[in-house]
Amino acid sequence: MTITFTREHYQEAADLIGSRIQIRPQIALILGSGLGELADAVEDPAVIPYSEVPHWPRPTVVGHGGRLVIGQLEGKPVMVMQGRIHYYEGYSMAQVTFPIRVMQIMGIGSLIVTNAAGGLNPEFRAGDIMLITDQINLVGVGGANPLRGPNDDAFGPRFPEMTRAYDRELMGIARAVAADEGIELREGVYICLAGPTFETPAEVRMLRILGGDAVGMSTVPEVIVARHGGMRVLGFSGISNIAIDDPERQGRPTHEEVLEAGKVIVPKLTRLIKGVLRRWPDE
Ligand code: HPA
């Protein structure tokens, strides 16, 4: 699919959202598979279904809500995406990252991304939370980079650098909150595959060699566009299952397992993200 957008499309979406809210969100949160409950913590929420926002793509997968929840979280004005859009659903990269451009136009300066991921690092267990320290755009290696095509210099540079895609100061705050809250926080590199197939055992072994600690089907396109637009990014993977490297010995990953692990992960992630928001650095 080759659907692309212009500034006018993003502006129409931003205008609709702006007409429904009194606050100016500063921080956006994207909730991954099975993690949507985190939106319940938002106070005085304005809820906007994606279907009411012009051009906004809609999730097609069980476990992804499909609405914006805008309000206060720990005294910070936030816009939460309850449910995200994935490349494997058949959407273009421009559609997958449409919300990020709308955020940019709305003046939202920071993005917290979350996802469900398979654990590649042998030390990880299902239910763990991993602070994303870096990412590998395996989908993009094949050319499906969300910035492919004409560059709008008003959004960001033609050749954006990605050396510190994940914000060092925010990562430090996340580590401090985890220590205070007694939450074991893993750290590592997130690899994005297109999906929707889970990995073969041979692919799992390959992804480990490539330097991945967790593997999933999202996040990386959004982070690329957010960084292109100069947003600060913090990311967490909820390890919903351990990626299987030996078909003779172990079970098999399922989407139900991913949703189930979300129940263990959500309470921890909620405490972590609330703690980070409480200590959020002044802009
Ligand atoms: N692989 C890819 N994506 C995933 C997985 C996995 O094992 N678990 C949750 N999302």
Short mmCIF file of all heavy atoms in Angstrom, two decimals, residues 12 37-38 69 78 83 90 100 114 128 137 153 166 170 186 190 198 206 209 214 224 227 234 275 278:
data_model
loop_
_atom_site.label_atom_id
_atom_site.label_comp_id
_atom_site.label_asym_id
_atom_site.label_seq_id
_atom_site.Cartn_x
_atom_site.Cartn_y
_atom_site.Cartn_z
N GLU A 12 -5.65 18.37 9.89
CA GLU A 12 -7.09 18.09 10.08
C GLU A 12 -7.30 17.20 11.30
O GLU A 12 -8.23 17.42 12.08
CB GLU A 12 -7.65 17.38 8.83
CG GLU A 12 -7.98 18.32 7.69
CD GLU A 12 -8.37 17.56 6.41
OE1 GLU A 12 -9.01 16.48 6.52
OE2 GLU A 12 -8.01 18.04 5.33
N GLU A 37 -4.84 -1.32 29.40
CA GLU A 37 -5.44 -0.95 30.68
C GLU A 37 -4.77 0.25 31.34
O GLU A 37 -5.36 0.92 32.18
CB GLU A 37 -5.30 -2.12 31.65
CG GLU A 37 -6.54 -2.94 31.82
CD GLU A 37 -6.26 -4.10 32.76
OE1 GLU A 37 -5.78 -3.85 33.88
OE2 GLU A 37 -6.46 -5.25 32.33
N LEU A 38 -3.53 0.48 30.97
CA LEU A 38 -2.79 1.59 31.56
C LEU A 38 -3.54 2.92 31.37
O LEU A 38 -3.43 3.84 32.17
CB LEU A 38 -1.43 1.66 30.89
CG LEU A 38 -0.22 2.02 31.73
CD1 LEU A 38 1.01 1.32 31.18
CD2 LEU A 38 0.02 3.51 31.72
N VAL A 69 -7.01 8.64 24.71
CA VAL A 69 -7.44 9.01 26.05
C VAL A 69 -6.54 10.17 26.48
O VAL A 69 -5.33 9.99 26.65
CB VAL A 69 -7.32 7.81 27.02
CG1 VAL A 69 -7.79 8.21 28.41
CG2 VAL A 69 -8.13 6.62 26.50
N VAL A 78 -1.34 14.39 29.28
CA VAL A 78 -0.87 13.31 28.39
C VAL A 78 -1.93 12.97 27.35
O VAL A 78 -3.13 13.17 27.56
CB VAL A 78 -0.52 12.02 29.18
CG1 VAL A 78 0.62 12.26 30.15
CG2 VAL A 78 -1.74 11.46 29.90
N GLY A 83 -4.12 1.32 21.89
CA GLY A 83 -4.15 0.56 20.65
C GLY A 83 -3.33 1.25 19.58
O GLY A 83 -3.44 2.45 19.38
N GLY A 90 -1.35 -4.45 7.12
CA GLY A 90 -1.49 -4.05 5.72
C GLY A 90 -1.43 -2.56 5.52
O GLY A 90 -1.55 -2.08 4.40
N ILE A 100 2.16 9.97 14.93
CA ILE A 100 3.35 10.68 15.43
C ILE A 100 3.43 12.08 14.83
O ILE A 100 3.74 13.06 15.52
CB ILE A 100 4.64 9.89 15.09
CG1 ILE A 100 4.52 8.42 15.50
CG2 ILE A 100 5.85 10.57 15.73
CD1 ILE A 100 4.38 8.18 16.98
N THR A 114 5.40 1.75 24.40
CA THR A 114 5.41 0.45 25.06
C THR A 114 5.02 -0.60 24.03
O THR A 114 4.36 -0.30 23.04
CB THR A 114 4.41 0.38 26.23
OG1 THR A 114 3.07 0.44 25.71
CG2 THR A 114 4.62 1.52 27.21
N ASP A 128 8.70 -9.93 32.53
CA ASP A 128 9.73 -8.91 32.76
C ASP A 128 9.41 -7.63 31.99
O ASP A 128 8.68 -7.65 30.98
CB ASP A 128 11.11 -9.39 32.25
CG ASP A 128 11.79 -10.34 33.22
OD1 ASP A 128 11.28 -10.53 34.34
OD2 ASP A 128 12.85 -10.90 32.83
N ASN A 137 16.27 -1.77 13.15
CA ASN A 137 15.15 -1.65 12.21
C ASN A 137 15.28 -2.70 11.11
O ASN A 137 15.65 -2.39 9.98
CB ASN A 137 15.14 -0.23 11.62
CG ASN A 137 13.98 0.01 10.69
OD1 ASN A 137 13.03 -0.78 10.68
ND2 ASN A 137 14.04 1.09 9.94
N ASP A 153 11.13 19.19 5.03
CA ASP A 153 12.14 19.75 5.93
C ASP A 153 11.52 20.43 7.14
O ASP A 153 12.19 20.62 8.17
CB ASP A 153 13.03 20.75 5.18
CG ASP A 153 13.88 20.06 4.12
OD1 ASP A 153 14.05 18.83 4.22
OD2 ASP A 153 14.35 20.76 3.20
N TYR A 166 16.87 6.77 22.00
CA TYR A 166 16.17 6.74 23.29
C TYR A 166 16.89 7.70 24.25
O TYR A 166 18.10 7.64 24.40
CB TYR A 166 16.11 5.30 23.83
CG TYR A 166 15.24 4.43 22.94
CD1 TYR A 166 15.78 3.80 21.81
CD2 TYR A 166 13.88 4.29 23.18
CE1 TYR A 166 14.98 3.04 20.96
CE2 TYR A 166 13.07 3.53 22.33
CZ TYR A 166 13.62 2.91 21.23
OH TYR A 166 12.83 2.17 20.39
N LEU A 170 15.82 10.52 30.30
CA LEU A 170 14.58 9.79 30.65
C LEU A 170 14.90 8.35 31.05
O LEU A 170 14.29 7.79 31.96
CB LEU A 170 13.60 9.82 29.47
CG LEU A 170 13.09 11.21 29.04
CD1 LEU A 170 12.13 11.10 27.86
CD2 LEU A 170 12.42 11.94 30.21
N ARG A 186 14.85 -4.83 33.25
CA ARG A 186 15.85 -5.33 32.31
C ARG A 186 16.18 -4.23 31.32
O ARG A 186 15.43 -3.25 31.21
CB ARG A 186 15.27 -6.52 31.54
CG ARG A 186 14.67 -7.59 32.42
CD ARG A 186 15.73 -8.36 33.14
NE ARG A 186 15.24 -9.63 33.64
CZ ARG A 186 16.02 -10.60 34.08
NH1 ARG A 186 17.33 -10.44 34.10
NH2 ARG A 186 15.51 -11.72 34.52
N TYR A 190 15.84 -3.62 21.12
CA TYR A 190 14.59 -4.12 20.54
C TYR A 190 14.76 -4.25 19.03
O TYR A 190 15.17 -3.31 18.35
CB TYR A 190 13.46 -3.14 20.87
CG TYR A 190 12.11 -3.48 20.28
CD1 TYR A 190 11.23 -4.32 20.95
CD2 TYR A 190 11.71 -2.95 19.06
CE1 TYR A 190 9.98 -4.64 20.41
CE2 TYR A 190 10.46 -3.26 18.51
CZ TYR A 190 9.61 -4.10 19.20
OH TYR A 190 8.38 -4.39 18.67
N PHE A 198 5.21 -15.25 14.08
CA PHE A 198 6.26 -15.28 15.09
C PHE A 198 7.51 -15.88 14.44
O PHE A 198 7.44 -16.45 13.35
CB PHE A 198 5.82 -16.11 16.30
CG PHE A 198 4.74 -15.45 17.13
CD1 PHE A 198 3.43 -15.92 17.11
CD2 PHE A 198 5.03 -14.34 17.92
CE1 PHE A 198 2.44 -15.31 17.87
CE2 PHE A 198 4.05 -13.73 18.69
CZ PHE A 198 2.75 -14.21 18.66
N MET A 206 19.28 -16.27 14.88
CA MET A 206 19.86 -15.19 14.08
C MET A 206 19.71 -13.84 14.80
O MET A 206 20.67 -13.05 14.87
CB MET A 206 19.15 -15.11 12.72
CG MET A 206 19.54 -13.89 11.90
SD MET A 206 18.51 -13.62 10.44
CE MET A 206 17.06 -12.86 11.16
N ILE A 209 22.22 -13.31 17.46
CA ILE A 209 23.55 -13.00 16.91
C ILE A 209 23.60 -11.54 16.47
O ILE A 209 24.61 -10.86 16.63
CB ILE A 209 23.88 -13.95 15.73
CG1 ILE A 209 24.06 -15.37 16.25
CG2 ILE A 209 25.15 -13.49 14.99
CD1 ILE A 209 24.10 -16.43 15.14
N ALA A 214 15.15 -8.30 22.63
CA ALA A 214 13.70 -8.52 22.54
C ALA A 214 13.29 -8.32 21.09
O ALA A 214 13.89 -7.53 20.36
CB ALA A 214 12.95 -7.56 23.45
N ILE A 224 11.36 6.20 14.89
CA ILE A 224 12.11 6.87 13.81
C ILE A 224 11.44 8.21 13.47
O ILE A 224 12.11 9.25 13.38
CB ILE A 224 12.20 5.96 12.57
CG1 ILE A 224 13.19 4.81 12.84
CG2 ILE A 224 12.62 6.76 11.33
CD1 ILE A 224 13.24 3.76 11.76
N ARG A 227 11.80 10.75 16.34
CA ARG A 227 13.15 11.32 16.41
C ARG A 227 13.39 12.28 15.25
O ARG A 227 14.03 13.32 15.41
CB ARG A 227 14.20 10.21 16.41
CG ARG A 227 14.24 9.37 17.69
CD ARG A 227 14.52 10.23 18.91
NE ARG A 227 15.80 10.92 18.81
CZ ARG A 227 16.04 12.13 19.27
NH1 ARG A 227 15.08 12.83 19.86
NH2 ARG A 227 17.23 12.67 19.15
N LEU A 234 11.13 7.61 25.17
CA LEU A 234 11.43 6.60 26.19
C LEU A 234 10.64 5.36 25.82
O LEU A 234 9.48 5.46 25.40
CB LEU A 234 10.97 7.13 27.56
CG LEU A 234 11.15 6.21 28.77
CD1 LEU A 234 12.63 5.99 29.08
CD2 LEU A 234 10.46 6.79 30.00
N GLY A 275 5.74 6.83 37.94
CA GLY A 275 6.92 7.33 38.64
C GLY A 275 7.77 8.22 37.75
O GLY A 275 8.28 9.27 38.18
N ARG A 278 6.10 11.56 37.40
CA ARG A 278 6.26 12.40 38.61
C ARG A 278 7.60 13.12 38.60
O ARG A 278 7.73 14.23 39.09
CB ARG A 278 6.15 11.53 39.87
CG ARG A 278 4.73 11.29 40.34
CD ARG A 278 4.70 10.81 41.79
NE ARG A 278 5.40 9.55 42.00
CZ ARG A 278 4.84 8.35 41.78
NH1 ARG A 278 3.60 8.25 41.35
NH2 ARG A 278 5.53 7.25 42.00
#
